[in-house]
């Protein structure tokens, strides 16, 4: 007698046990029937279970089964659907008897009800893993006659990932701040909103699309400040949508240089006939279509056209190539955590300042109960102010009387810029094996935090007494400051000043005489223990911490998105370095948001001193940016000054404690020679605690992360190849790639 019967019995018992504990799922066809009867997409199921759409497709085709961690949740979903949508009884009349298909029956039951999926609709309670990227939402299938706003949920994200406000959704903007408009293969136009919502768009032309957006789409965002304005809705047009609405998929070379369509384009004529207007920048990659406001009611829609290079690949990566639902997610997270994009990241960074500090507010009611517009305290006001002559960039109207070929020196021009400094390595450093770069997180945002900046026009003062709390520009001689002996706290310390960059010049060179400096730079000279005697100054008695709210908003956006990527703010040093290792690959879409947030910081500050952009400008003439109250080169200079000083302070603390000096500094990146490849091989941590006032590993703005590691041999070889002993290795430390073009060859 063989053991075969016993083995068969064992197999049967195992199968029965699997049925008892729920490991056996309904047949694949039944899984499809239940999902379709409920009107759920495969993407919705994938989102709820933390899986990918291809996985759900494989389960429904019978090619694969859910893993153990998702099996129970998937079975619970199917059981819940089976109770709500039981299998229809076999027809009594035989095979020829007609009956209504389950999907059609479900549609018929809901034709007279709103098409939005109700909040009480059954969903699986299984959370999606934080590290798994969301599945792309497939194109929806039209199953019902269109209603004024026909919509369906296509896999809503969680609050943390989608960036939905914790306080709930404003009913005026319940579909989110923006939508990506696309066209299906059958010609149906869909608007992919944030949170997985897909809306049927009935508009047949651009003017009707604008009308629909303002009247029915429920798109937009609430204001960020009490006296501010609600954000206008943003529509992102895919290539298919451009073709559908009579717009070119790409701009010609002439149109690209002009930044807009020609005035005679048929779509612009359609808008004019419908009494819609365009802003001065015309119909370009970031077009704004509006009608003059009536009272407090605004009528404005903004368009974003990725195929016209609206999304700069330096900051948005390949976002413009994403599927509509994925692009809606990327822009939606950015919009909810920063603000609805108003143009490039630089434009949005500047607009965020104004949104948080509007120039005017409503006054208190007068005797007749009427309110008027008045200056909003703490803002820059609604009128531009001229800079001090030393703060004006070359070509500014204030300098029109200078000779065309006159070159202003340090005693005539404020020159506060980020570091670009390097030095040859010492013999001792050449014996070490590695060059390790560390980078300050959100360095310029950290420099803006708590900074007192001028709000109004400058006042000229002769022989002033320096006041570190008074923002302005100071003409003072700092050449006497000796970095070989400086104060660190209350004590004097001896350093090798030849191995340190000067904190007073971007190139790290010691100043040779009087020069113009922003307040943070002069205050640092006093902090190092040296007296200062300004010759003259342009100071701003009207001042305040204008950028605090701006910093907080961008910091929170950065930290929240990094937390979604698995990099928390309270990680131990080694855990932080491990979490930062290839964090972009965990969710490339959220990594794009991180890149955009950082670009918003730098670009917004750069816009404070925007230069002429063609338009036939000539030196001595005003350019368009000068008409903005946010054209403030003094604020930009103060932020850069403070950022550079913050970095130098950490370098001095580190040198005083460890005897280690940087080899190169570029903006917010510092390179040290070290015995090992990790920042922990040279940062002086003791029992997990960093040096007070020195470099600290972490994700918060002002803390540092690992930028890259190369060998000392690599550094010497590169410098020898280009015959440049002081080549700035910080520029190439991330991946070690150096090209001839980088060095002007």
């Amino acid at each position: 007698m063989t053991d075969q019967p016993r083995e068969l019995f064992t197999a049967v018992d195992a199968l029965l046990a699997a049925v008892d504990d729920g490991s056996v799922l309904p047949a694949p066809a039944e899984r499809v029937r239940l999902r379709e009867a409920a009107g759920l997409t495969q993407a919705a199921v994938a989102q709820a279970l933390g899986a990918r759409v291809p996985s759900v497709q494989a389960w429904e085709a019978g090619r694969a089964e859910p893993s153990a961690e998702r099996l129970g949740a998937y079975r619970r979903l199917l059981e819940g659907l089976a109770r709500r949508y039981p299998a229809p009884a076999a027809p009594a009349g035989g095979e020829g008897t007609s009956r209504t298909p389950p999907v059609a029956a479900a549609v018929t039951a809901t034709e007279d009800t709103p098409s939005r999926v109700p909040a009480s609709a059954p969903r699986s309670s299984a959370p999606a893993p934080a590290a798994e990227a969301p599945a792309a939402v497939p194109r929806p299938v039209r199953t019902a006659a269109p209603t004024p706003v026909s919509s369906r949920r296509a896999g809503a994200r969680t609050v943390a990932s989608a960036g939905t406000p914790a306080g709930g959704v404003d009913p005026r903007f319940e579909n989110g701040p923006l939508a990506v408009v696309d066209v299906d293969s059958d010609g149906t136009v869909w608007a992919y909103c944030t949170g997985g919502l897909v809306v049927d768009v009935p508009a047949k032309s651009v003017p009707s699309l604008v009308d629909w957006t303002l009247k029915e789409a429920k798109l937009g965002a609430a204001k960020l400040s009490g006296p501010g304005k609600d954000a206008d809705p943003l529509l992102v047009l895919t290539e298919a949508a451009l073709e559908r609405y009579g717009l070119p998929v790409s701009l010609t070379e002439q149109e690209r240089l002009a930044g807009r369509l020609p005035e005679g384009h048929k779509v612009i004529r359609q808008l004019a006939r419908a009494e819609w207007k365009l802003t001065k920048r015309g119909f370009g990659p970031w077009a704004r279509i509006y009608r003059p406001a009536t009272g407090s009611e605004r009528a404005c829609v903004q368009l974003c056209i990725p195929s016209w290079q609206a999304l700069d690949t330096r900051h948005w990566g390949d976002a413009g190539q994403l599927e509509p639902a994925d692009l809606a997610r990327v822009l939606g997270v950015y919009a909810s955590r920063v603000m609805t994009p108003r143009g490039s990241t630089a434009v949005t960074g500047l607009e965020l300042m104004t949104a948080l500090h509007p120039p005017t507010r409503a006054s208190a009611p007068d005797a007749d109960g009427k309110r008027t517009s008045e200056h909003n305290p703490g803002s820059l006001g609604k009128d531009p102010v001229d800079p001090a002559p030393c703060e004006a960039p070359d070509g500014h109207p204030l300098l029109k009387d200078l000779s065309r070929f006159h070159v202003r020196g340090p005693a005539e021009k404020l020159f506060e810029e980020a570091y670009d400094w390097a030095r040859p390595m010492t013999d001792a450093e050449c014996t070490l094996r590695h060059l390790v770069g560390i980078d300050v997180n959100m360095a310029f945002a950290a420099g803006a935090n708590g900074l007192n900046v001028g709000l109004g026009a400058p006042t000229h003062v002769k022989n002033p007494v320096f006041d570190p709390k008074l923002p302005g520009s100071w003409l003072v001689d700092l050449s006497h400051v000796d970095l070989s002996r400086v104060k660190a706290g209350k004590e004097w310390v001896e350093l090798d000043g030849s191995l340190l960059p000067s904190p007073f010049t971007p190139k790290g060179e010691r100043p040779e005489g009087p020069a113009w400096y922003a307040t943070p730079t002069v205050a640092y000279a006093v902090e190092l223990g040296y007296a200062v005697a300004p010759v003259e100054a342009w100071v701003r008695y009207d001042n305040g911490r204008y950028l605090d709210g701006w910093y907080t908003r961008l910091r929170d956006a950065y930290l929240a998105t990094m937390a979604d990527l698995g990099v928390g703010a309270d990680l131990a040093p080694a855990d932080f370095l491990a979490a930062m290792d290839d964090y972009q690959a965990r969710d490339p879409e959220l990594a794009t948001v991180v890149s955009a947030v950082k670009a918003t910081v730098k670009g917004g500050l750069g816009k404070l001193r925007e230069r002429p952009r063609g338009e036939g400008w000539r030196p001595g003439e005003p350019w368009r940016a000068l008409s903005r109250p946010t054209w403030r080169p003094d604020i930009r200079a103060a932020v850069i000054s403070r950022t550079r000083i913050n970095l130098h302070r950490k370098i001095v603390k580190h040198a005083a404690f460890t005897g280690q000096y940087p080899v190169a500094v570029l903006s917010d990146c510092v390179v040290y020679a070290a015995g090992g490849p990790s920042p922990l091989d040279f940062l002086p941590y003791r029992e997990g605690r960093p040096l007070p006032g020195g470099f600290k590993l972490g994700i918060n703005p002002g803390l540092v992360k690992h930028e890259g590691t190369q060998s000392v041999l690599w550094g010497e070889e590169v410098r020898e190849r280009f015959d440049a002993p002081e080549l700035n290795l910080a520029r190439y430390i991330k991946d070690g790639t150096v090209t001839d073009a980088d060095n002007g060859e």
Side-chain angles (χ1 to χ4, degrees):
M1 183 175 178
T2 67
D3 292 334
Q4 185 177 11
R6 181 176 300 173
E7 294 173 357
L8 292 176
F9 293 156
T10 302
V12 169
D13 290 340
L15 185 59
L16 292 173
V19 173
D20 291 339
D21 65 17
S23 299
V24 177
L25 298 172
E30 178 65 2
R31 304 172 197 177
V32 176
R33 185 194 71 80
L34 291 171
R35 177 181 58 76
E36 291 183 344
L40 297 175
T41 65
Q42 291 174 332
V45 175
Q47 292 280 17
L49 299 178
R52 299 181 304 116
V53 170
S55 298
V56 177
Q57 293 171 342
W59 302 342
E60 293 186 350
R63 299 192 306 269
E65 295 295 327
S67 61
E69 61 182 355
R70 294 184 175 86
L71 179 61
Y74 189 44
R75 180 171 61 85
R76 180 177 179 180
L77 171 64
L78 295 175
E79 289 176 350
L81 295 178
R83 289 193 296 270
R84 292 166 172 79
Y85 306 98
E95 293 182 0
T97 305
S98 175
R99 64 183 176 87
T100 302
V103 175
V107 171
T108 303
T110 59
E111 279 184 347
D112 296 329
T113 60
S115 57
R116 181 182 303 282
V117 176
S120 59
R123 292 180 183 152
S124 169
S125 59
E132 186 165 343
V137 180
R139 304 296 173 87
V141 178
R142 197 172 198 162
T143 58
T147 59
V149 179
S150 179
S151 61
R152 67 194 305 174
R153 285 283 173 186
R157 300 286 299 170
T158 61
V159 170
S161 296
T164 304
V169 178
D170 189 320
R172 298 172 300 160
F173 314 124
E174 62 182 58
N175 290 343
L178 55 89
V180 179
V181 180
D182 193 33
V183 183
D184 217 334
S185 57
D186 64 356
T188 305
V189 183
W190 298 98
Y192 290 76
C193 307
T194 58
L197 178 68
V198 184
V199 177
D200 183 12
V201 181
K204 305 299 183 184
S205 65
V206 172
S208 62
L209 178 64
V210 175
D211 277 323
W212 172 83
T213 302
L214 293 171
K215 295 176 181 178
E216 301 179 28
K218 295 187 177 181
L219 294 174
K223 57 189 177 183
L224 298 179
S225 175
K229 300 175 182 177
D230 296 328
D232 298 320
L234 172 66
L235 296 181
V236 184
L237 303 184
T238 65
E239 293 184 5
L242 293 173
E243 293 177 344
R244 172 66 179 79
Y245 290 115
L247 292 165
V249 170
S250 61
L251 298 177
T252 66
E253 182 66 16
Q254 184 177 0
E255 292 168 347
R256 187 186 63 80
L257 293 174
R260 65 183 70 193
L261 292 178
E263 293 299 321
H265 192 277
K266 63 179 182 179
V267 171
I268 297 179
R269 295 200 305 269
Q270 290 173 1
L271 290 168
R273 286 195 298 269
E275 298 183 346
W276 289 105
K277 297 180 180 295
L278 293 167
T279 57
K280 290 182 179 179
R281 59 184 173 185
F283 204 118
W286 290 94
R288 297 186 69 80
I289 304 171
Y290 74 99
R291 285 187 181 129
T294 55
S296 61
E297 294 297 323
R298 289 170 57 82
C300 182
V301 173
Q302 178 153 333
L303 303 183
C304 167
I305 306 178
S307 65
W308 295 4
Q309 283 72 57
L311 300 175
D312 193 328
T313 55
R314 294 173 299 173
H315 310 138
W316 291 103
D318 296 328
Q321 307 301 318
L322 292 174
E323 288 295 314
D326 298 327
L327 179 56
R329 182 199 174 204
V330 169
L331 294 176
V333 173
Y334 179 89
S336 64
R337 292 177 176 173
V338 180
M339 70 178 299
T340 305
R342 297 288 301 273
S344 66
T345 51
V347 169
T348 304
L350 195 69
E351 291 286 343
L352 180 61
M353 297 179 193
T354 302
L356 294 169
H357 286 285
T360 60
R361 68 177 184 182
S363 67
D366 59 18
D368 297 327
K370 294 183 179 180
R371 297 177 183 269
T372 57
S373 177
E374 66 178 12
H375 174 69
N376 183 29
S379 75
L380 298 181
K382 59 184 180 66
D383 298 317
V385 297
D386 284 333
C390 63
E391 297 165 350
D394 293 338
H396 191 278
L398 287 176
L399 310 175
K400 63 182 178 180
D401 293 333
L402 291 179
S403 169
R404 180 179 178 183
F405 301 102
H406 177 74
V407 178
R408 294 187 293 162
E412 299 173 276
K413 179 180 179 180
L414 177 69
F415 192 64
E416 294 282 11
E417 298 294 340
Y419 267 131
D420 186 356
W421 170 87
R423 62 169 177 82
M425 283 185 278
T426 65
D427 292 342
E429 289 167 341
C430 288
T431 64
L432 301 174
R433 298 185 59 184
H434 300 280
L435 293 172
V436 184
I438 53 177
D439 180 79
V440 181
N441 296 313
M442 300 273 283
F444 293 99
N449 182 31
L451 178 64
N452 206 33
V453 300
L455 301 177
T459 300
H460 189 229
V461 183
K462 286 283 190 179
N463 299 315
V465 175
F466 177 68
D467 182 354
K469 296 181 180 180
L470 188 60
S473 300
W474 310 78
L475 180 61
V476 58
D477 188 352
L478 300 180
S479 60
H480 63 291
V481 178
D482 184 5
L483 295 180
S484 298
R485 187 172 183 271
V486 298
K487 263 191 174 181
K490 296 182 179 180
E491 298 181 356
W492 289 87
V493 296
E494 304 290 335
L495 300 171
D496 188 341
S498 65
L499 301 180
L500 287 171
S502 168
F504 309 125
T505 61
K507 290 294 184 181
E509 302 165 344
R510 188 167 179 168
E512 298 178 350
W516 286 99
Y517 302 101
T519 297
T521 302
V522 184
Y524 186 57
V526 176
E527 180 184 326
L528 292 177
Y530 292 85
V532 297
V535 178
E536 61 178 301
W538 290 88
V539 296
R540 289 170 169 82
Y541 295 108
D542 180 14
N543 54 70
R545 293 167 58 160
Y546 174 72
L547 295 174
D548 275 9
W550 183 80
Y551 160 79
T552 301
R553 181 87 178 169
L554 291 166
R555 176 204 63 192
D556 292 349
Y558 175 69
L559 293 180
T561 312
M562 289 302 295
D564 286 345
L565 287 165
V567 185
D570 55 354
L571 295 175
D575 295 336
F576 167 72
L577 292 174
M580 287 294 294
D581 186 22
D582 203 22
Y583 72 89
Q584 298 98 328
R586 295 175 201 144
D587 191 329
E589 294 170 13
L590 287 183
T592 298
V593 177
V594 171
S595 172
V597 170
K598 293 193 288 187
T600 303
V601 173
K602 290 187 177 181
L605 293 172
K607 277 282 186 179
L608 292 170
R609 200 191 66 161
E610 183 178 0
R611 300 304 310 276
R613 305 178 67 180
E615 302 174 353
W617 174 82
R618 294 182 178 180
E621 297 178 350
W623 57 93
R624 182 182 300 179
L626 299 187
S627 63
R628 297 193 320 249
T630 49
W631 192 83
R632 292 295 301 272
D634 58 297
I635 295 180
R636 173 187 177 273
V639 173
I640 294 177
S641 164
R642 192 163 186 246
T643 302
R644 193 181 67 246
I645 294 308
N646 285 346
L647 183 59
H648 194 274
R649 185 182 292 112
K650 289 179 169 60
I651 291 173
V652 167
K653 288 277 187 180
H654 186 84
F657 188 81
T658 66
Q660 299 169 336
Y661 295 84
V663 172
V665 184
L666 180 68
S667 187
D668 48 9
C669 176
V670 188
V671 176
Y672 283 90
S678 168
L680 291 175
D681 291 316
F682 71 92
L683 293 182
Y685 273 84
R686 290 185 175 181
E687 298 180 354
R689 295 183 178 181
L691 172 68
F695 296 109
K696 178 183 178 181
L697 290 167
I699 199 60
N700 279 294
L703 305 188
V704 300
K705 63 179 181 294
H706 184 202
E707 178 69 4
T709 296
Q710 304 297 328
S711 68
V712 168
L713 185 62
W714 164 86
E716 290 298 281
E717 187 275 331
V718 167
R719 286 177 165 178
E720 182 178 348
R721 173 157 45 114
F722 293 106
D723 192 23
E726 296 182 0
L727 180 71
N728 196 327
L729 300 176
R731 182 172 281 108
Y732 317 107
I733 195 69
K734 189 167 188 175
D735 60 11
T737 302
V738 185
T739 65
D740 291 342
D742 291 329
N743 294 277
E745 298 189 10

